[in-house]
């Protein structure tokens, strides 16, 4: 997606440790007009697929997922990272290793909002080592829902997540795949 | 907002400890068509106000804030609850006591995305004891931005947050104010 790539080149900042800082438009401050274009692009890429629910994980996936959901006219469910008083009863649970935060956490989804009748599109901001997406994949499988595909805004193509997920037969559509960002220079696939 | 009140009466569940469970449409599964109506209503209520940024706090405020932002044509900034590798440098910081989670946490906003030129509308799903909103208020004040007002989806009118915030001269627009939910019966103001 050319508009997104130009935005990444213009406003993205490469930091030590293969961190791409895009918090001016994607995951701290959020450029809603860009999100709308992202929504249209995912709709185009998944045209013809039957999708009745979008699944994402808190926190930075939520905003994108909600804007994207408008183009599919479906509700969004976000997996929660901490159990709270407000989620009682039966949940699906998966463990996720966070690249950004350097820790392991559980993600949970209430069984009330995901079941074998659902046809799920996963939306997330980043795909790097693939752990978050693997966690969501486990939850979808446990629920009996159909995993239609994953729509990712930025894939770090030099990490193993994309290959890992695709090798499981899951369709992944990434709007920008970065193959290299050594020395602060971003190279797209 | 009548549509919202009907939704709360239909799908909200009152749990022990004055918890209102609305996670079928507001803060776990999210009804995007309802969010759009919420966006139009906030736009109507804040018509004529100069607003150039929406501020919310992760996680459940983010989806609503993004949909609402479309009607104001402004970016969203969400306050983060945990510091991560990805936020370096100068941040505004405030401490918040969570009613839902029963703990104290910091919220932070990068100084890059909030300053004295900003005219801020805060959007959040709930107003109860007002601690989250007070934290955001401190951050806005520290940044030098103008706090135009707060748009709240559900206010628990029997808790002190609404009075506290309004007593500071901050405009609060709540789309549904619950004055009582004893014995599981929801009474709106």
């Amino acid at each position: 997606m050319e508009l997104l790539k130009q935005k990444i080149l213009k406003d993205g900042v490469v930091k030590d440790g293969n961190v791409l800082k895009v918090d001016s438009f994607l995951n701290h401050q959020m450029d809603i007009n860009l999100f709308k274009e992202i929504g249209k692009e995912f709709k185009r890429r998944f045209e013809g697929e039957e999708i009745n629910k979008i699944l994402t994980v808190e926190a930075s996936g939520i905003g994108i997922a909600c804007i994207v959901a408008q183009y599919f006219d479906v509700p969004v469910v976000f997996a929660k990272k901490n159990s709270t008083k407000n989620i009682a009863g039966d949940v699906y649970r998966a463990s996720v290793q966070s690249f950004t935060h350097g820790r392991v956490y559980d993600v949970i989804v209430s069984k009330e909002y995901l079941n074998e009748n659902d046809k799920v599109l996963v939306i997330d901001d980043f795909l790097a080592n693939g752990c978050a997406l693997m966690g969501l994949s486990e939850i979808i499988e446990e629920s009996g829902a159909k995993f239609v595909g994953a729509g990712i805004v930025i894939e770090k193509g030099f990490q193993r997540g994309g290959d890992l997920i695709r090798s499981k037969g899951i369709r992944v559509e990434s709007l920008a795949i970065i193959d290299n960002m050594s020395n602060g220079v971003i190279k797209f696939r």
Side-chain angles (χ1 to χ4, degrees), chain A residues 7-8 69 93 105 130 140 146 158 168 173 188:
Chain A
K7 188 80 176 170
I8 293 168
R93 185 181 298 270
Y105 58 89
I140 293 169
K146 182 182 175 191
F158 54 87
K168 294 186 175 298
E173 293 284 344
F188 294 108

Side-chain angles (χ1 to χ4, degrees), chain A residues 20-182:
Chain A
L20 176 64
K21 197 168 172 281
V22 286
D23 61 5
S24 66
F25 61 93
L26 194 66
N27 48 22
H28 184 22
Q29 182 166 253
M30 299 183 285
D31 180 338
I32 304 301
N33 288 320
L34 177 66
F35 285 15
K36 286 198 249 182
E37 296 306 315
I38 287 170
K40 290 175 198 168
E41 179 64 15
F42 282 134
K43 177 65 181 169
R44 194 184 66 75
R45 294 199 186 195
F46 288 98
E47 193 66 66
E49 293 283 0
E50 201 183 339
I51 288 162
N52 71 348
K53 195 159 282 181
I54 286 178
L55 180 67
T56 189
V57 60
E58 70 172 54
S60 46
I62 298 174
I64 302 158
C66 284
I67 299 291
V68 171
Q70 296 179 122
Y71 298 93
F72 291 87
D73 197 20
V74 299
V76 174
V77 172
F78 69 89
K80 302 204 175 195
K81 284 185 181 169
N82 295 300
S83 59
T84 76
K85 279 193 208 169
N86 283 8
I87 292 199
D90 276 353
V91 296
Y92 309 111
R93 185 181 298 270
S95 280
V96 172
Q97 167 120 34
S98 168
F99 173 75
T100 316
H101 299 77
R103 60 185 176 86
V104 176
Y105 58 89
D106 278 4
V107 290
I108 57 174
V109 172
S110 168
K111 291 191 179 179
E112 291 181 65
Y113 309 124
L114 201 63
N115 62 50
E116 68 275 10
N117 299 315
D118 287 322
K119 294 160 187 71
V120 178
L121 173 64
V122 169
I123 295 289
D124 211 355
D125 54 345
F126 271 97
L127 171 58
N129 61 18
C131 290
L133 196 46
M134 282 303 299
L136 295 180
S137 164
E138 286 169 32
I139 282 174
I140 293 169
E141 191 172 340
E142 194 188 343
S143 76
K146 182 182 175 191
F147 194 162
V148 176
I152 303 295
V153 180
I154 301 175
E155 178 178 339
K156 289 176 171 172
F158 54 87
Q159 288 185 247
R160 70 190 189 105
D163 287 347
L164 178 73
I165 302 291
R166 289 182 182 96
S167 74
K168 294 186 175 298
I170 294 167
R171 179 177 174 193
V172 180
E173 293 284 344
S174 298
L175 302 187
I177 302 179
I178 296 172
D179 268 341
N180 196 307
M181 50 185 207
S182 307

